[in-house]
Structure formats: C-alpha cells, structure tokens
C-alpha cells in the first residue's frame, strides 16, 4: 500500500475509529461489492479503513467524476484510494455509465458502492439507484455485502469542511443475491432494507 | 539510593507486577473449565495485555520528557471526548462548538501547562469554554434541546479535558524541598488510582458478596471497595519515598485518591448508563473505552492536584 493510503487510513482511525462489525459476513478475500448508506464525504475512507489491509488492497471505491474528478480530490480518489470514477451526468445518451465498474469487476477487484448516488445527511438511506441491480445480474458470482455506516453524518454535517471526531462503526451484513425472477424495484428495496436492518433502527 | 536508581526500582516493580499478573492469567486459563469461568479469565488476560501496552506507552512518554507526556494526555483527552460525544445526542447546530472543543480547547489546555500558565489553565474551560461553546451553538440558530445539548457538551469537556489535564498539571507545581522530577507525582497518582481499581476488581471477584450499587455499576462490591481500597492506600503510603510526602501524609493522599477514584468510577458509570451504554467504547481490549480506564482518574486528578498545591507548595 502507498504511504498516502496509510496516511488516509490513519486519519480515518484517528478521527472516526472505523470499527468493523462483521455481522453475517466474514472478512474473507472474496470478490465483493460492498454497498452502504451515504451520508458524508468521509464514508468512503471510513469503510475502506474498516477493511483488513489484505482486503483493502483489492477493494476500490466508486466515486462520482463530477466531484472527485479534479484537483486535490482527484488526487485523494485515484492516487490514495484507487477509486473507480464514474459519470453521474451522461453527455452521450448511449454511453454505459457502469462500464468502468464492469471493467474493474472483470479484473477481479472488489468495489465500494453507494447506491443512493448522492449523500443523504440522514441516519437512514434513501431510495437506491439501479446500478447495483445491473451489476448483480452481470456478475452473479460477486457477493453483494450490505454495509451500514453509523454516525458519519454527525462528523460532517451539510456544508462542513473539517470533520468532527465521532466514533463510527462499520457493520457488514450477510451477502445478498438477486433471486430468480426478482424484479429490479423489489431487489433494490430488499438491498436497502438489508442496510437499514444493520442500523438497528426502524425504517 | 540515588534518585535515578529509585525510578528504576519503581519501573522494575511495575514490570514485575505485570509479569506476575500474566503468569497468574496463564495458569488460570489452563484451569478454567466452565464457559463462564473461561470468559472471565479471557477478559482478565485481555486486561493484562492492555496494561502492558498502556504501561509501555506511558513509560516511553515519561522517559521522553514533558512535551511527550503532555501530548500523550492530550491524546487521551481527545479519545475520551470522542467517546463521550459519540454517545451523546448532538445536532448539526453543535458542529462549531464541537470543533472548538476538539481542536482549540484540547491543544490550548495542554499547551498552557507546557508554558507554565496556571492562571489561564485553571479558568480556560470553566470560564471561557463554558461561555463560548453555547454562544457558538446559539449562533447556529437551532433551539431544540438547547440547554440539554449545552449541558452535555459542557460535562463532556469538563470531564474529558479539564479533569484529565490535572494529572499532567502536576508537572507545573514547584514543591520546596522535593527533588522530583514531578513526573514521579503523576506516576504516583496513576499508580494508586489504577491499583485501587484493579484491586477492587480482583477482591470483588474473589470474595465480593454485597453489591454496592447494582443499578449503576454491577461489578462494584462493598468487600472489593474496602479491601481493595485499603490495600491501594497502604501501597500508596509505602510509595512515599517517590513523593514530597512522609509515610502518614502519603497514606492520607492515597486515601483521597482512592476515594475520589471510586466516586469517579461510580458517577461516570451513571452518566454512561444514562446515555444507554455499558462501555464507553472499545479502544482498549478487555477494558472498554478510554473513559472506562480514565473515569477514576478524572475525579482523583483534580483533587490530588489541589491538595498537593494547597499543602505542599
């Protein structure tokens, strides 16, 4: 791992602890898509830091090019986190926004995905976008692991730049798969419910 | 004995104690037969392992000098405050006060010890933080639970920063006739307070019957408190050669430390439970969080500091 990656992990541990709770999944080096609730810019780093180093080396966060694609953020995203950048706003109607994710999965990497597509600032996640469903269908062998990130929306409220230290737990739940005949909305709702179940809160 | 040799004896004694604790733990681990016994022994051994780490870190900081010691206690305050506010409900309007508490109050409080400013050190949090933290929260415009939020943050900062900082503040004191170094007084405080916790726990497990405050702290027993507390006081008395106190004075000081440490553990346990938690955190294996280890220090440090300042400077 690069020194800047160690620095990132160290900073995350110092500020938010990023304590992993394996509740249904084990920390094994299998190819996975970790999908989580998204409430702050610190989410990616916290989830990444919660993984054991061996898994972290093969796990790549998915980040939006319009935010993470330039300047210092681009450096953090690509040089330290080895992120996969995707386009949220498509200029070419026919382009497949999931193409870079497909390439990463074909290479055998695992992914960190926030299916809400944007930050929610609330403890519980909003509706999931369809990317997770499409990836799950294209790569049925990849485990889909729900993850709940607790407390991170408290570290960086909307518009805040400097994170406040809060102890954050990262709960990993039992892997899901798309059942035979399951429709997209049903699967996405089930995936969201799996994340919410890890929070211990009522939806 | 020269002063340096003294310190070596003390360090050697602590290491010997840990070796003995580790050996006893290893023997108990072989003998434990029931699952409950195994769990207790496993927790005991986790505690001992964590003690090795804490003693090594503390020893290294003391050896390296005053600045490192202050940085270490500042870090302890940082993690303690992180645990406290994580269990406390906060709202987005608390963002600025929290930034102030973590990034201004903690460094300032410890820096003031480093530059020998006792006056400002003693009022920074009770006066300046007390007034400014809620003012910043008021500017955020969110009045929901305002007084409760303010009170909780105030408590958090008083306990985790102000009270803890009184342990290294002993470095500030100029005690006539005491050759020091004052770091030995910090060590004395920590040793008595932690030994008292450990001995109360051990004697409580061995022959504790009468629960002291089952709702607040189920592991505390009258027998543990009396026997553990008295033993720690006697050990404190015996350690008087490292302090400016004679044997009797040292007994008195240790009794004060043990009593306040006990009260601190009990009070912070009540706070913790009112916030709906069993442990403050999970930083220190077997012990829980930073505050589970520091709760008794929080109450003992300011009292020991002021008793020493009043009667020996």
């Amino acid at each position: 791992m690069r020194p800047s990656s160690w620095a990132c992990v160290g900073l995350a541990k110092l500020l938010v602890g990023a304590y992993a709770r394996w509740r249904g999944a084990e920390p094994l080096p299998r190819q996975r898509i970790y999908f989580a609730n998204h409430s702050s810019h610190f989410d990616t780093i916290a989830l990444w830091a919660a993984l054991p180093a061996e898994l972290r080396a093969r796990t790549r966060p998915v980040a939006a090019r319009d935010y993470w694609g330039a300047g210092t953020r681009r450096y953090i995203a690509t040089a330290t986190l080895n992120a996969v950048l995707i386009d949220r706003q498509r200029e070419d109607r026919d382009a497949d926004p999931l193409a870079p994710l497909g390439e990463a999965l074909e290479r055998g990497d695992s992914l960190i995905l926030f299916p809400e597509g944007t930050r929610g600032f609330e403890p519980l996640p909003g509706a999931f976008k369809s990317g997770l469903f499409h990836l799950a269908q294209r790569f049925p062998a990849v485990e889909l692991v729900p993850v709940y990130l607790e407390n991170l929306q408290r570290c960086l409220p909307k518009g805040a730049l400097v994170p406040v230290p809060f102890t954050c737990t990262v709960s990993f739940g039992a892997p899901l798969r798309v059942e035979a005949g399951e429709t997209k909305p049903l699967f996405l709702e089930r995936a969201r419910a799996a994340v919410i179940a890890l929070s211990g809160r009522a939806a | 004995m020269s002063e340096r040799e003294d310190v070596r004896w003390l360090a050697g004694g602590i290491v010997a104690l840990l070796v003995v604790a580790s050996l006893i733990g290893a023997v108990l681990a072989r003998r434990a037969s029931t699952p409950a016994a195994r769990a207790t022994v496993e927790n005991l051994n986790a505690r001992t392992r964590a003690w090795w780490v804490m003693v090594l870190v503390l020893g290294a900081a003391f050896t390296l000098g005053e600045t490192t010691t202050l940085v270490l206690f500042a870090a302890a305050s940082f993690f303690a405050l992180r645990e406290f506010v994580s269990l406390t409900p906060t709202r987005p309007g608390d963002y600025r006060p929290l930034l102030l508490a973590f990034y201004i109050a903690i460094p300032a409080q410890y820096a003031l010890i480093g530059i020998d400013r006792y006056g400002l050190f003693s009022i920074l949090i009770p006066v300046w933080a007390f007034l400014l933290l809620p003012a910043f929260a008021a500017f955020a415009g969110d009045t929901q639970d305002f007084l409760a939020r303010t009170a909780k943050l105030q408590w958090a900062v008083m306990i985790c920063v102000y009270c803890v900082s009184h342990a290294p503040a002993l470095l500030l004191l100029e005690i006539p006739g005491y050759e020091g170094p004052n770091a030995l007084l910090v060590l004395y405080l920590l040793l008595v307070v932690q030994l008292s916790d450990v001995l109360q726990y051990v004697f409580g497990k061995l022959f504790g019957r009468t629960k002291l405050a089952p709702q607040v702290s189920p592991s505390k027993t009258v027998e543990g408190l009396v026997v553990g507390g008295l033993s720690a006081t006697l050990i404190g008395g015996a350690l008087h050669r490292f302090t400016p106190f004679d044997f009797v004075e040292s007994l008195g000081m240790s009794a004060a430390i043990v009593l306040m440490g006990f009260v601190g553990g009990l009070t912070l346990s009540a706070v913790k439970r009112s916030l709906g938690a069993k442990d403050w955190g999970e930083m220190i294996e077997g012990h829980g969080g930073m505050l589970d280890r520091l709760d008794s220090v929080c109450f003992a440090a300011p009292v020991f500091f002021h008793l020493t300042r009043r009667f020996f400077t």
Side-chain angles (χ1 to χ4, degrees), chain A residues 100-158:
Chain A
L101 307 188
E103 284 165 29
L105 288 171
E106 271 158 22
R107 271 199 300 271
D109 291 332
S110 293
L111 294 178
I112 294 173
L113 191 69
F114 298 103
E116 291 163 85
T118 185
R119 286 169 298 146
F121 299 106
E122 293 298 324
L124 293 181
F128 280 7
K129 298 200 166 165
S130 54
L132 182 66
F133 178 74
H134 295 308
L135 289 174
Q137 285 199 312
R138 255 184 79 190
F139 298 92
V142 177
E143 286 190 350
L144 309 173
V145 176
V147 180
Y148 181 72
L149 297 159
E150 188 177 30
N151 261 350
L152 279 169
Q153 81 282 357
R154 298 170 75 192
C155 297
L156 274 176
K158 203 166 197 158

Side-chain angles (χ1 to χ4, degrees), chain A residues 38-41 43 67 88 116-121 156-159:
Chain A
H38 197 14
S39 58
S40 89
H41 285 313
D43 290 352
Y67 186 82
R88 282 194 287 200
E116 291 163 85
T118 185
R119 286 169 298 146
F121 299 106
L156 274 176
K158 203 166 197 158

Side-chain angles (χ1 to χ4, degrees), chain A residues 26 127 141 154 168 172:
Chain A
E26 290 301 315
R154 298 170 75 192
C168 159
F172 297 87

Side-chain angles (χ1 to χ4, degrees), chain B residues 5-301:
Chain B
E5 229 171 299
D6 253 15
V7 178
R8 277 198 208 133
W9 274 102
L10 195 58
I14 296 170
V15 169
L17 208 61
L18 282 175
V19 171
V20 171
S22 301
L23 289 176
I24 293 177
V27 172
L28 287 178
R30 280 164 165 243
R31 286 205 188 159
S33 47
T34 64
R38 264 198 291 277
T40 306
V41 173
E42 183 35 53
N43 177 263
L44 179 80
N45 286 333
R47 280 170 187 250
T48 314
R49 282 195 297 276
W51 271 121
W52 276 107
V53 177
M54 289 189 275
V55 162
L56 289 177
V57 169
L58 208 60
F62 280 145
T63 315
L64 288 170
E66 176 171 338
T67 310
T68 343
T69 307
L70 290 175
V71 169
L72 179 70
F73 278 95
S77 279
F78 178 91
F79 289 122
L81 188 61
R82 195 180 81 175
E83 286 170 1
F84 202 120
V85 298
S86 298
L87 287 184
T88 307
T90 59
R91 296 173 56 81
D94 297 316
Y95 176 70
R96 291 239 164 90
L98 284 166
L99 281 188
L100 274 182
F102 275 103
Y103 299 125
I104 308 282
I106 294 179
Q109 181 73 359
Y110 287 92
L112 287 169
I113 302 175
I115 58 170
D116 282 347
R117 295 284 297 274
Y118 172 72
L120 192 50
F121 161 85
S122 63
I123 62 160
L124 184 76
I125 288 168
V127 176
W128 291 104
F130 179 79
L131 299 175
L132 289 181
L133 293 180
F136 274 92
F139 274 118
D142 180 0
T143 55
Q144 190 177 329
D145 299 325
F146 186 81
L147 183 57
R149 279 157 49 205
T150 302
K152 282 171 184 163
L153 184 57
Q154 199 65 49
W155 247 81
V157 177
M158 273 304 277
I159 291 292
C160 303
V161 187
Y162 189 69
C163 289
V164 172
S165 70
H166 280 73
L170 289 161
L171 301 173
L172 273 174
L173 298 178
E174 278 174 35
I175 302 165
Y178 179 52
E179 309 262 301
N182 279 21
L184 275 179
L185 269 186
V186 185
L187 192 58
Y188 171 84
L189 164 72
L190 295 178
L191 208 56
V192 173
V193 100
Q194 300 294 356
L195 271 178
S196 168
D197 275 5
V198 170
L199 292 171
Q200 284 180 46
Y201 164 87
V202 169
F203 287 118
K205 287 268 173 216
L206 285 180
F207 41 76
R209 290 236 172 76
T210 329
K211 294 220 184 264
L212 224 153
Q215 265 85 36
V216 180
S217 186
S219 63
K220 282 192 167 51
T221 62
V222 177
E223 295 82 358
L225 170 64
V226 172
V227 183
L230 280 178
S231 326
T233 307
L234 282 175
I235 296 173
L239 290 173
H240 74 91
R241 63 155 70 243
F242 303 104
T243 70
F245 322 129
D246 63 28
F247 177 69
V248 177
E249 289 163 348
S250 189
L251 273 184
M253 283 294 193
S254 290
I257 292 172
V258 165
L259 215 61
M260 289 314 294
F262 168 75
V263 173
L266 198 68
T267 311
L268 287 186
S269 192
V271 172
K272 175 171 71 178
R273 274 160 213 280
S274 81
L275 295 171
K278 191 182 128 320
D279 284 329
W280 283 103
E282 49 188 293
M283 271 191 84
I284 311 177
E285 204 201 339
H287 296 259
M290 179 65 79
L291 265 176
D292 288 293
R293 209 53 282 134
L294 278 184
D295 52 6
S296 36
V297 178
C298 291
F299 276 52

